[in-house]
Amino acid sequence: ENLQKKTSATLSTKSYDTFISPNILNLSSFAKLMKKLQEIHPETSRDKIVDALLEVRKNNSGILCGLSIRAIVESASKIL
């Protein structure tokens, strides 16, 4: 029997911690987003990229589910 453990991620930003449920954004998607955004914006810090992703989520009724990675990258790039 192969049971999948549920995990969660806490993203640490400048002055606060933000909890992102795995149902909102799974870790492999987050890694893809971070990698892509760091490639596009190499001069931008990880914290600023996370802030931009949180802003995209906020602008999308508090969720990223349903948005393609491409759409999230485009939205975050506009913020950055």
Side-chain angles (χ1 to χ4, degrees):
E1 188 174 343
N2 193 7
L3 297 176
Q4 183 180 12
K5 284 187 174 182
K6 291 187 178 182
T7 59
S8 60
T10 300
L11 303 175
S12 181
T13 57
K14 295 176 192 144
S15 61
Y16 56 90
D17 288 332
T18 304
F19 176 77
I20 297 183
S21 161
N23 295 329
I24 294 171
L25 178 65
N26 70 46
L27 294 178
S28 65
S29 293
F30 176 76
K32 289 177 191 176
L33 284 168
M34 288 301 296
K35 181 179 178 188
K36 186 68 174 169
L37 287 165
Q38 287 174 327
E39 288 171 358
I40 296 169
H41 306 282
E43 72 290 349
T44 306
S45 72
R46 179 179 170 86
D47 285 345
K48 289 193 185 274
I49 292 172
V50 170
D51 289 344
L53 290 171
L54 292 171
E55 184 70 22
V56 171
R57 184 177 78 174
K58 178 181 158 192
N59 293 340
N60 192 52
S61 303
I63 60 171
L64 292 175
C65 184
L67 294 176
S68 68
I69 289 179
R70 180 179 178 194
I72 297 168
V73 167
E74 288 174 1
S75 296
S77 289
K78 288 178 187 175
I79 293 167
L80 293 169

